[in-house]
Amino acid sequence: MTTPATESHLRRLPKVELHCHVEGAARATTILELAARHGVSLPSVDPDELFAFTDLNQFLSIYDVICASLRTADDFHRIAYEACEDGVAAGVRYREMFFSPGFVIRLGVPVQTVWEGVSAGVRDANHDLDIECRLILDFDKPTGPAHALEMVDVAARLDRDLLLGIGADSVERGIDHRAFAAAFAAAAHEGLHRTIHAGEDGPADNIAAAVHELGCERVDHGFRLLDDPELTAEIVDRRIPLTVCPTSNVVIANVVPDVASHPLAEQRRRGVLATVNSDDPGMMRADLADEYVAVAAAYGYPLEEMEQISLDGIEASWLPDDGKAALRSRFVAEFAALRAEHGLPARR
Ligand code: HPA
Ligand code: ZN
């Protein structure tokens, strides 16, 4: 027997988030305030209009504007802390959050300033709030392989209690993903975890490059995976996780008209460890709880499947095995308490 998943229950379900960008999680109101403070002009001063985009390129040009408003360590501290606060409100208990220094170092902000602010914001949030957040340094793919190597070099020297690994984002079309092999090899050599945005609005071949030639342990998005059945079988066998962001693929990459048409359900049916994530909750005005509600509604998933999606986030994380086991025990206890509160039978 299965149990229907209600919206209020899903909002409170404990969750893991593995694909969330700190800059894209910034509140419009915060960006407006920081832009005014630093004399940065924005395309709109209406928080409801600031984040308007219809494809990845337009989204990234607004991302650039957001990043132009971030100048000091305090600015980065604020957006990191607020991103954690908003995560807590969505039920996120554990998050591995991206930050992308490439967008601001080209404006003259030192990478050390970015790290000082983001790491302090996350450290304070971990102390004050019911969340454990870790960080992933994303390099900017269009800036090229030398920037990628430089970012790996920076990452290798950061505090490993907070910084888990390296990733890569921004545009995908027209980028030779194999050109980053040396950067990812250097990251592996330094003991950094590795992931990359691939197969978002680009082909499944970029996913193949990520797992075969870049040594990535996860793939961010992986929307086009099912185009390649052999690669799909390999990803299932090796339990390489995808960090899927269904709403983002609708409203940012614009590769599918709605969540119901997204391949997530088919990926999961075929055994892919496909997790659910928000990507850029501030810019999309949709957090991870909204994402869980949208996914349950789109595929008619019962509560049991939504609880499994939450547990899959733990498996897909870069927590050590004992950390995964502890988080799993906590989630299972919270699932039981939430069910009891809603008068539902225990999970089997
Ligand atoms: N794709 C590419 N670049 C990004 C994204 C994304 O999902 N989010 C923030 N920068
Ligand atoms: Zn992303």
Short mmCIF file of all heavy atoms in Angstrom, two decimals, residues 156-225:
data_model
loop_
_atom_site.label_atom_id
_atom_site.label_comp_id
_atom_site.label_asym_id
_atom_site.label_seq_id
_atom_site.Cartn_x
_atom_site.Cartn_y
_atom_site.Cartn_z
N ALA A 156 42.74 23.35 -3.74
CA ALA A 156 43.61 22.40 -3.04
C ALA A 156 44.12 22.96 -1.72
O ALA A 156 44.48 22.21 -0.82
CB ALA A 156 44.78 22.02 -3.95
N ARG A 157 44.15 24.30 -1.61
CA ARG A 157 44.71 24.93 -0.41
C ARG A 157 43.64 25.39 0.58
O ARG A 157 43.94 25.97 1.62
CB ARG A 157 45.63 26.09 -0.81
CG ARG A 157 46.99 25.55 -1.29
CD ARG A 157 47.96 26.64 -1.72
NE ARG A 157 47.82 26.92 -3.15
CZ ARG A 157 47.46 28.10 -3.65
NH1 ARG A 157 47.19 29.11 -2.86
NH2 ARG A 157 47.36 28.27 -4.96
N LEU A 158 42.36 25.13 0.30
CA LEU A 158 41.29 25.59 1.19
C LEU A 158 40.99 24.55 2.28
O LEU A 158 41.39 23.39 2.16
CB LEU A 158 40.03 25.90 0.38
CG LEU A 158 40.21 27.00 -0.69
CD1 LEU A 158 38.93 27.19 -1.49
CD2 LEU A 158 40.67 28.31 -0.06
N ASP A 159 40.29 25.01 3.29
CA ASP A 159 39.95 24.17 4.45
C ASP A 159 39.05 23.00 4.03
O ASP A 159 37.88 23.20 3.69
CB ASP A 159 39.25 25.07 5.48
CG ASP A 159 38.70 24.29 6.66
OD1 ASP A 159 38.95 23.07 6.74
OD2 ASP A 159 38.02 24.92 7.49
N ARG A 160 39.60 21.78 4.11
CA ARG A 160 38.86 20.61 3.62
C ARG A 160 37.70 20.21 4.51
O ARG A 160 36.91 19.34 4.17
CB ARG A 160 39.79 19.40 3.45
CG ARG A 160 40.85 19.57 2.42
CD ARG A 160 40.27 19.64 1.00
NE ARG A 160 41.33 19.94 0.05
CZ ARG A 160 42.09 19.02 -0.54
NH1 ARG A 160 41.89 17.74 -0.32
NH2 ARG A 160 43.04 19.38 -1.38
N ASP A 161 37.62 20.80 5.71
CA ASP A 161 36.42 20.51 6.52
C ASP A 161 35.18 21.07 5.83
O ASP A 161 34.08 20.56 6.01
CB ASP A 161 36.56 21.15 7.92
CG ASP A 161 37.53 20.37 8.77
OD1 ASP A 161 37.82 19.21 8.41
OD2 ASP A 161 38.02 20.93 9.77
N LEU A 162 35.38 22.17 5.07
CA LEU A 162 34.23 22.79 4.38
C LEU A 162 34.25 22.53 2.88
O LEU A 162 33.21 22.34 2.26
CB LEU A 162 34.24 24.31 4.60
CG LEU A 162 33.75 24.83 5.94
CD1 LEU A 162 33.75 26.35 5.95
CD2 LEU A 162 32.33 24.33 6.25
N LEU A 163 35.42 22.56 2.27
CA LEU A 163 35.52 22.46 0.81
C LEU A 163 35.71 21.00 0.43
O LEU A 163 36.74 20.39 0.74
CB LEU A 163 36.70 23.31 0.33
CG LEU A 163 36.87 23.68 -1.14
CD1 LEU A 163 37.55 22.57 -1.95
CD2 LEU A 163 35.57 24.10 -1.83
N LEU A 164 34.72 20.43 -0.24
CA LEU A 164 34.79 19.00 -0.55
C LEU A 164 35.36 18.71 -1.93
O LEU A 164 35.93 17.65 -2.15
CB LEU A 164 33.39 18.37 -0.48
CG LEU A 164 32.67 18.44 0.86
CD1 LEU A 164 31.36 17.69 0.78
CD2 LEU A 164 33.55 17.86 1.98
N GLY A 165 35.14 19.64 -2.85
CA GLY A 165 35.56 19.28 -4.20
C GLY A 165 35.43 20.41 -5.19
O GLY A 165 35.23 21.57 -4.83
N ILE A 166 35.54 20.00 -6.45
CA ILE A 166 35.56 20.95 -7.56
C ILE A 166 34.45 20.58 -8.55
O ILE A 166 34.13 19.42 -8.71
CB ILE A 166 36.97 20.91 -8.22
CG1 ILE A 166 37.15 22.05 -9.20
CG2 ILE A 166 37.26 19.60 -8.88
CD1 ILE A 166 38.04 23.13 -8.66
N GLY A 167 33.86 21.61 -9.16
CA GLY A 167 32.84 21.39 -10.19
C GLY A 167 33.03 22.41 -11.30
O GLY A 167 34.02 23.16 -11.29
N ALA A 168 32.10 22.44 -12.25
CA ALA A 168 32.21 23.37 -13.38
C ALA A 168 30.82 23.70 -13.87
O ALA A 168 29.96 22.81 -13.97
CB ALA A 168 33.04 22.75 -14.49
N ASP A 169 30.60 25.00 -14.18
CA ASP A 169 29.26 25.38 -14.64
C ASP A 169 29.34 26.41 -15.76
O ASP A 169 30.35 26.54 -16.43
CB ASP A 169 28.40 25.87 -13.46
CG ASP A 169 28.96 27.07 -12.74
OD1 ASP A 169 29.62 27.92 -13.39
OD2 ASP A 169 28.74 27.18 -11.52
N SER A 170 28.26 27.12 -15.97
CA SER A 170 28.07 28.09 -17.06
C SER A 170 27.73 27.36 -18.37
O SER A 170 27.34 26.20 -18.33
CB SER A 170 29.30 28.99 -17.20
OG SER A 170 28.99 30.06 -18.07
N VAL A 171 27.93 28.03 -19.51
CA VAL A 171 27.41 27.46 -20.76
C VAL A 171 28.04 26.12 -21.09
O VAL A 171 29.15 25.79 -20.65
CB VAL A 171 27.60 28.41 -21.98
CG1 VAL A 171 26.81 29.68 -21.81
CG2 VAL A 171 29.06 28.69 -22.24
N GLU A 172 27.34 25.35 -21.88
CA GLU A 172 27.79 24.01 -22.25
C GLU A 172 27.98 23.90 -23.78
O GLU A 172 28.92 23.25 -24.24
CB GLU A 172 26.72 23.01 -21.79
CG GLU A 172 27.04 21.59 -22.15
CD GLU A 172 26.08 20.62 -21.48
OE1 GLU A 172 25.12 21.06 -20.81
OE2 GLU A 172 26.29 19.42 -21.64
N ARG A 173 27.08 24.56 -24.52
CA ARG A 173 27.17 24.46 -25.98
C ARG A 173 28.45 25.12 -26.47
O ARG A 173 28.81 26.21 -26.03
CB ARG A 173 25.96 25.15 -26.63
CG ARG A 173 24.67 24.41 -26.36
CD ARG A 173 23.52 25.05 -27.10
NE ARG A 173 22.25 24.65 -26.49
CZ ARG A 173 21.06 25.07 -26.89
NH1 ARG A 173 20.96 25.90 -27.90
NH2 ARG A 173 19.97 24.66 -26.28
N GLY A 174 29.13 24.41 -27.38
CA GLY A 174 30.35 24.97 -27.95
C GLY A 174 31.58 24.83 -27.06
O GLY A 174 32.64 25.35 -27.38
N ILE A 175 31.42 24.14 -25.92
CA ILE A 175 32.57 23.96 -25.02
C ILE A 175 33.11 22.53 -25.19
O ILE A 175 32.33 21.57 -25.15
CB ILE A 175 32.13 24.13 -23.54
CG1 ILE A 175 31.54 25.53 -23.29
CG2 ILE A 175 33.26 23.80 -22.58
CD1 ILE A 175 32.53 26.63 -23.15
N ASP A 176 34.43 22.41 -25.36
CA ASP A 176 35.05 21.09 -25.42
C ASP A 176 35.31 20.62 -23.99
O ASP A 176 36.29 21.02 -23.37
CB ASP A 176 36.36 21.17 -26.22
CG ASP A 176 37.13 19.85 -26.18
OD1 ASP A 176 36.55 18.84 -25.70
OD2 ASP A 176 38.30 19.84 -26.59
N HIS A 177 34.42 19.75 -23.48
CA HIS A 177 34.54 19.33 -22.09
C HIS A 177 35.82 18.54 -21.81
O HIS A 177 36.34 18.55 -20.70
CB HIS A 177 33.28 18.54 -21.68
CG HIS A 177 32.09 19.45 -21.47
ND1 HIS A 177 31.61 20.27 -22.46
CD2 HIS A 177 31.32 19.67 -20.38
CE1 HIS A 177 30.59 20.97 -21.98
NE2 HIS A 177 30.38 20.62 -20.74
N ARG A 178 36.32 17.86 -22.86
CA ARG A 178 37.54 17.06 -22.68
C ARG A 178 38.77 17.93 -22.42
O ARG A 178 39.78 17.45 -21.92
CB ARG A 178 37.74 16.15 -23.90
CG ARG A 178 36.68 15.05 -23.95
CD ARG A 178 36.71 14.23 -25.24
NE ARG A 178 35.77 13.11 -25.15
CZ ARG A 178 34.46 13.19 -25.41
NH1 ARG A 178 33.92 14.34 -25.79
NH2 ARG A 178 33.68 12.13 -25.30
N ALA A 179 38.66 19.22 -22.74
CA ALA A 179 39.79 20.14 -22.52
C ALA A 179 40.07 20.33 -21.02
O ALA A 179 41.12 20.87 -20.66
CB ALA A 179 39.49 21.49 -23.17
N PHE A 180 39.14 19.87 -20.16
CA PHE A 180 39.35 20.06 -18.71
C PHE A 180 39.95 18.82 -18.04
O PHE A 180 39.99 18.73 -16.81
CB PHE A 180 38.02 20.44 -18.04
CG PHE A 180 37.41 21.69 -18.63
CD1 PHE A 180 36.21 21.65 -19.31
CD2 PHE A 180 38.06 22.91 -18.52
CE1 PHE A 180 35.66 22.80 -19.88
CE2 PHE A 180 37.53 24.07 -19.08
CZ PHE A 180 36.32 24.02 -19.76
N ALA A 181 40.42 17.87 -18.87
CA ALA A 181 40.96 16.62 -18.31
C ALA A 181 42.12 16.89 -17.34
O ALA A 181 42.19 16.28 -16.26
CB ALA A 181 41.39 15.68 -19.44
N ALA A 182 43.02 17.80 -17.71
CA ALA A 182 44.19 18.05 -16.85
C ALA A 182 43.74 18.65 -15.51
O ALA A 182 44.27 18.28 -14.45
CB ALA A 182 45.17 18.98 -17.55
N ALA A 183 42.76 19.55 -15.55
CA ALA A 183 42.28 20.18 -14.30
C ALA A 183 41.65 19.13 -13.38
O ALA A 183 41.91 19.10 -12.17
CB ALA A 183 41.29 21.29 -14.61
N PHE A 184 40.83 18.26 -13.96
CA PHE A 184 40.19 17.23 -13.12
C PHE A 184 41.20 16.20 -12.62
O PHE A 184 41.06 15.70 -11.50
CB PHE A 184 39.01 16.58 -13.86
CG PHE A 184 37.76 17.43 -13.81
CD1 PHE A 184 37.34 18.16 -14.90
CD2 PHE A 184 37.00 17.50 -12.65
CE1 PHE A 184 36.19 18.96 -14.84
CE2 PHE A 184 35.85 18.29 -12.57
CZ PHE A 184 35.45 19.02 -13.68
N ALA A 185 42.21 15.91 -13.45
CA ALA A 185 43.25 14.98 -12.99
C ALA A 185 44.01 15.60 -11.81
O ALA A 185 44.31 14.91 -10.81
CB ALA A 185 44.22 14.66 -14.14
N ALA A 186 44.28 16.90 -11.90
CA ALA A 186 44.97 17.58 -10.80
C ALA A 186 44.09 17.58 -9.54
O ALA A 186 44.59 17.39 -8.42
CB ALA A 186 45.31 19.02 -11.21
N ALA A 187 42.79 17.77 -9.74
CA ALA A 187 41.86 17.75 -8.59
C ALA A 187 41.87 16.37 -7.92
O ALA A 187 41.91 16.26 -6.69
CB ALA A 187 40.45 18.12 -9.05
N ALA A 188 41.85 15.32 -8.74
CA ALA A 188 41.89 13.95 -8.20
C ALA A 188 43.19 13.74 -7.42
O ALA A 188 43.19 13.18 -6.32
CB ALA A 188 41.76 12.93 -9.33
N HIS A 189 44.28 14.22 -7.99
CA HIS A 189 45.60 14.09 -7.36
C HIS A 189 45.61 14.77 -5.99
O HIS A 189 46.27 14.31 -5.05
CB HIS A 189 46.66 14.68 -8.28
CG HIS A 189 48.05 14.56 -7.74
ND1 HIS A 189 48.73 13.36 -7.75
CD2 HIS A 189 48.88 15.46 -7.17
CE1 HIS A 189 49.92 13.53 -7.18
NE2 HIS A 189 50.03 14.80 -6.83
N GLU A 190 44.87 15.87 -5.86
CA GLU A 190 44.80 16.61 -4.60
C GLU A 190 43.77 16.03 -3.63
O GLU A 190 43.53 16.58 -2.56
CB GLU A 190 44.45 18.09 -4.88
CG GLU A 190 45.51 18.86 -5.63
CD GLU A 190 46.76 19.11 -4.80
OE1 GLU A 190 46.76 18.83 -3.58
OE2 GLU A 190 47.77 19.58 -5.38
N GLY A 191 43.10 14.95 -4.07
CA GLY A 191 42.10 14.32 -3.19
C GLY A 191 40.79 15.09 -3.12
O GLY A 191 40.01 14.94 -2.18
N LEU A 192 40.53 15.91 -4.15
CA LEU A 192 39.26 16.65 -4.20
C LEU A 192 38.21 15.81 -4.92
O LEU A 192 38.51 15.13 -5.91
CB LEU A 192 39.46 17.97 -4.97
CG LEU A 192 40.32 19.03 -4.27
CD1 LEU A 192 40.83 20.06 -5.27
CD2 LEU A 192 39.51 19.71 -3.16
N HIS A 193 36.97 15.88 -4.44
CA HIS A 193 35.86 15.26 -5.18
C HIS A 193 35.62 16.06 -6.45
O HIS A 193 35.97 17.25 -6.53
CB HIS A 193 34.61 15.24 -4.32
CG HIS A 193 34.67 14.21 -3.22
ND1 HIS A 193 34.63 12.86 -3.47
CD2 HIS A 193 34.77 14.35 -1.88
CE1 HIS A 193 34.70 12.21 -2.32
NE2 HIS A 193 34.80 13.09 -1.33
N ARG A 194 34.97 15.40 -7.45
CA ARG A 194 34.80 16.02 -8.76
C ARG A 194 33.41 15.82 -9.34
O ARG A 194 32.89 14.71 -9.35
CB ARG A 194 35.82 15.44 -9.76
CG ARG A 194 37.20 15.90 -9.49
CD ARG A 194 38.30 14.86 -9.36
NE ARG A 194 38.03 13.49 -9.63
CZ ARG A 194 38.11 12.52 -8.71
NH1 ARG A 194 38.46 12.78 -7.45
NH2 ARG A 194 37.85 11.28 -9.02
N THR A 195 32.85 16.93 -9.82
CA THR A 195 31.56 16.87 -10.53
C THR A 195 31.57 17.92 -11.63
O THR A 195 32.48 18.76 -11.69
CB THR A 195 30.39 17.07 -9.54
OG1 THR A 195 29.15 16.83 -10.23
CG2 THR A 195 30.37 18.47 -8.93
N ILE A 196 30.58 17.87 -12.52
CA ILE A 196 30.53 18.86 -13.61
C ILE A 196 29.10 18.96 -14.14
O ILE A 196 28.38 17.96 -14.19
CB ILE A 196 31.50 18.46 -14.77
CG1 ILE A 196 31.63 19.59 -15.79
CG2 ILE A 196 31.08 17.17 -15.43
CD1 ILE A 196 32.76 19.38 -16.81
N HIS A 197 28.70 20.18 -14.51
CA HIS A 197 27.43 20.37 -15.23
C HIS A 197 27.61 19.80 -16.63
O HIS A 197 28.48 20.26 -17.38
CB HIS A 197 27.09 21.86 -15.34
CG HIS A 197 26.56 22.48 -14.09
ND1 HIS A 197 27.20 22.43 -12.89
CD2 HIS A 197 25.39 23.17 -13.88
CE1 HIS A 197 26.47 23.07 -11.98
NE2 HIS A 197 25.38 23.53 -12.55
N ALA A 198 26.80 18.82 -17.00
CA ALA A 198 26.92 18.20 -18.32
C ALA A 198 25.58 17.62 -18.76
O ALA A 198 24.83 17.11 -17.94
CB ALA A 198 27.98 17.11 -18.31
N GLY A 199 25.33 17.71 -20.06
CA GLY A 199 24.07 17.17 -20.59
C GLY A 199 22.87 17.96 -20.09
O GLY A 199 21.79 17.41 -19.91
N GLU A 200 23.07 19.28 -19.85
CA GLU A 200 21.96 20.15 -19.42
C GLU A 200 21.23 20.64 -20.67
O GLU A 200 20.09 20.27 -20.90
CB GLU A 200 22.50 21.33 -18.59
CG GLU A 200 21.43 22.31 -18.15
CD GLU A 200 22.01 23.54 -17.42
OE1 GLU A 200 23.23 23.77 -17.49
OE2 GLU A 200 21.21 24.28 -16.81
N ASP A 201 21.90 21.47 -21.48
CA ASP A 201 21.35 21.78 -22.80
C ASP A 201 22.33 21.34 -23.89
O ASP A 201 22.19 21.68 -25.04
CB ASP A 201 20.94 23.26 -22.94
CG ASP A 201 22.14 24.20 -23.01
OD1 ASP A 201 23.28 23.76 -22.70
OD2 ASP A 201 21.94 25.37 -23.37
N GLY A 202 23.33 20.55 -23.46
CA GLY A 202 24.29 19.97 -24.40
C GLY A 202 24.06 18.46 -24.48
O GLY A 202 23.24 17.91 -23.75
N PRO A 203 24.80 17.77 -25.37
CA PRO A 203 24.55 16.36 -25.67
C PRO A 203 25.02 15.38 -24.59
O PRO A 203 25.85 15.71 -23.73
CB PRO A 203 25.35 16.14 -26.95
CG PRO A 203 26.47 17.11 -26.86
CD PRO A 203 25.92 18.32 -26.15
N ALA A 204 24.50 14.14 -24.68
CA ALA A 204 24.90 13.07 -23.77
C ALA A 204 26.41 12.81 -23.85
O ALA A 204 27.01 12.31 -22.90
CB ALA A 204 24.13 11.79 -24.08
N ASP A 205 27.02 13.15 -24.99
CA ASP A 205 28.47 12.96 -25.12
C ASP A 205 29.24 13.73 -24.05
O ASP A 205 30.32 13.30 -23.64
CB ASP A 205 28.92 13.39 -26.53
CG ASP A 205 30.41 13.10 -26.73
OD1 ASP A 205 30.82 11.94 -26.52
OD2 ASP A 205 31.16 14.04 -27.06
N ASN A 206 28.70 14.86 -23.61
CA ASN A 206 29.39 15.61 -22.54
C ASN A 206 29.32 14.85 -21.21
O ASN A 206 30.22 14.99 -20.38
CB ASN A 206 28.77 17.01 -22.38
CG ASN A 206 29.10 17.91 -23.55
OD1 ASN A 206 30.00 17.62 -24.34
ND2 ASN A 206 28.37 19.01 -23.68
N ILE A 207 28.27 14.05 -21.03
CA ILE A 207 28.17 13.21 -19.83
C ILE A 207 29.20 12.08 -19.94
O ILE A 207 29.90 11.75 -18.97
CB ILE A 207 26.75 12.64 -19.66
CG1 ILE A 207 25.71 13.78 -19.66
CG2 ILE A 207 26.65 11.79 -18.41
CD1 ILE A 207 24.26 13.30 -19.72
N ALA A 208 29.32 11.52 -21.16
CA ALA A 208 30.32 10.46 -21.39
C ALA A 208 31.72 11.00 -21.11
O ALA A 208 32.53 10.34 -20.44
CB ALA A 208 30.21 9.95 -22.83
N ALA A 209 32.00 12.21 -21.59
CA ALA A 209 33.31 12.81 -21.33
C ALA A 209 33.54 12.96 -19.83
O ALA A 209 34.63 12.67 -19.32
CB ALA A 209 33.40 14.18 -22.02
N ALA A 210 32.51 13.39 -19.11
CA ALA A 210 32.63 13.63 -17.67
C ALA A 210 33.03 12.35 -16.93
O ALA A 210 33.92 12.38 -16.07
CB ALA A 210 31.31 14.16 -17.11
N VAL A 211 32.38 11.23 -17.27
CA VAL A 211 32.65 10.02 -16.49
C VAL A 211 33.82 9.20 -17.06
O VAL A 211 34.48 8.49 -16.31
CB VAL A 211 31.38 9.13 -16.31
CG1 VAL A 211 30.31 9.89 -15.58
CG2 VAL A 211 30.85 8.61 -17.63
N HIS A 212 34.09 9.31 -18.36
CA HIS A 212 35.16 8.50 -18.95
C HIS A 212 36.51 9.22 -18.97
O HIS A 212 37.54 8.61 -18.80
CB HIS A 212 34.82 8.11 -20.40
CG HIS A 212 33.65 7.19 -20.49
ND1 HIS A 212 32.79 7.17 -21.56
CD2 HIS A 212 33.18 6.28 -19.61
CE1 HIS A 212 31.84 6.27 -21.34
NE2 HIS A 212 32.06 5.72 -20.17
N GLU A 213 36.47 10.53 -19.21
CA GLU A 213 37.74 11.23 -19.42
C GLU A 213 38.07 12.25 -18.34
O GLU A 213 39.23 12.64 -18.19
CB GLU A 213 37.76 11.88 -20.80
CG GLU A 213 37.92 10.79 -21.85
CD GLU A 213 37.60 11.25 -23.25
OE1 GLU A 213 38.31 12.14 -23.72
OE2 GLU A 213 36.65 10.71 -23.84
N LEU A 214 37.08 12.69 -17.60
CA LEU A 214 37.35 13.68 -16.56
C LEU A 214 37.35 13.05 -15.17
O LEU A 214 37.71 13.70 -14.19
CB LEU A 214 36.32 14.83 -16.63
CG LEU A 214 36.18 15.53 -17.99
CD1 LEU A 214 35.16 16.67 -17.92
CD2 LEU A 214 37.54 16.06 -18.48
N GLY A 215 36.91 11.81 -15.07
CA GLY A 215 36.91 11.13 -13.77
C GLY A 215 35.91 11.74 -12.79
O GLY A 215 36.14 11.69 -11.57
N CYS A 216 34.83 12.30 -13.31
CA CYS A 216 33.85 12.90 -12.40
C CYS A 216 33.07 11.80 -11.67
O CYS A 216 32.72 10.77 -12.23
CB CYS A 216 32.89 13.82 -13.16
SG CYS A 216 33.72 15.35 -13.64
N GLU A 217 32.81 12.06 -10.39
CA GLU A 217 32.10 11.09 -9.56
C GLU A 217 30.60 11.32 -9.58
O GLU A 217 29.83 10.46 -9.16
CB GLU A 217 32.60 11.20 -8.12
CG GLU A 217 34.09 11.08 -7.98
CD GLU A 217 34.56 11.70 -6.67
OE1 GLU A 217 34.59 10.98 -5.66
OE2 GLU A 217 34.87 12.91 -6.66
N ARG A 218 30.21 12.53 -10.00
CA ARG A 218 28.78 12.87 -10.13
C ARG A 218 28.64 13.67 -11.40
O ARG A 218 29.61 14.22 -11.92
CB ARG A 218 28.31 13.77 -8.97
CG ARG A 218 28.02 13.06 -7.69
CD ARG A 218 27.07 13.81 -6.76
NE ARG A 218 27.41 15.15 -6.39
CZ ARG A 218 27.68 15.55 -5.14
NH1 ARG A 218 27.69 14.67 -4.15
NH2 ARG A 218 27.94 16.81 -4.87
N VAL A 219 27.39 13.77 -11.88
CA VAL A 219 27.08 14.62 -13.03
C VAL A 219 25.95 15.55 -12.63
O VAL A 219 24.91 15.09 -12.12
CB VAL A 219 26.68 13.77 -14.26
CG1 VAL A 219 26.22 14.67 -15.40
CG2 VAL A 219 27.84 12.89 -14.70
N ASP A 220 26.14 16.85 -12.84
CA ASP A 220 25.11 17.83 -12.52
C ASP A 220 24.19 18.00 -13.73
O ASP A 220 24.66 18.23 -14.84
CB ASP A 220 25.76 19.16 -12.11
CG ASP A 220 26.65 18.96 -10.88
OD1 ASP A 220 26.18 18.29 -9.94
OD2 ASP A 220 27.81 19.41 -10.89
N HIS A 221 22.92 17.82 -13.50
CA HIS A 221 21.85 17.80 -14.51
C HIS A 221 21.78 16.42 -15.17
O HIS A 221 20.96 15.60 -14.79
CB HIS A 221 21.97 18.90 -15.57
CG HIS A 221 21.70 20.27 -15.02
ND1 HIS A 221 20.47 20.64 -14.51
CD2 HIS A 221 22.49 21.37 -14.92
CE1 HIS A 221 20.53 21.91 -14.11
NE2 HIS A 221 21.74 22.36 -14.33
N GLY A 222 22.58 16.17 -16.22
CA GLY A 222 22.50 14.89 -16.92
C GLY A 222 21.17 14.70 -17.63
O GLY A 222 20.74 13.57 -17.88
N PHE A 223 20.54 15.82 -17.98
CA PHE A 223 19.21 15.77 -18.59
C PHE A 223 19.17 14.86 -19.81
O PHE A 223 18.18 14.17 -20.05
CB PHE A 223 18.79 17.22 -18.97
CG PHE A 223 17.49 17.33 -19.70
CD1 PHE A 223 16.28 17.35 -19.01
CD2 PHE A 223 17.47 17.41 -21.09
CE1 PHE A 223 15.08 17.44 -19.68
CE2 PHE A 223 16.26 17.51 -21.77
CZ PHE A 223 15.07 17.53 -21.07
N ARG A 224 20.24 14.83 -20.61
CA ARG A 224 20.23 14.11 -21.89
C ARG A 224 20.73 12.66 -21.76
O ARG A 224 20.94 11.98 -22.76
CB ARG A 224 21.08 14.86 -22.93
CG ARG A 224 20.56 16.26 -23.24
CD ARG A 224 20.28 16.45 -24.72
NE ARG A 224 19.26 15.56 -25.21
CZ ARG A 224 17.96 15.88 -25.34
NH1 ARG A 224 17.53 17.07 -25.01
NH2 ARG A 224 17.11 15.00 -25.83
N LEU A 225 20.94 12.18 -20.54
CA LEU A 225 21.55 10.85 -20.35
C LEU A 225 20.86 9.75 -21.15
O LEU A 225 21.52 8.91 -21.77
CB LEU A 225 21.53 10.48 -18.85
CG LEU A 225 22.01 9.05 -18.55
CD1 LEU A 225 23.48 8.88 -18.91
CD2 LEU A 225 21.79 8.70 -17.08
#
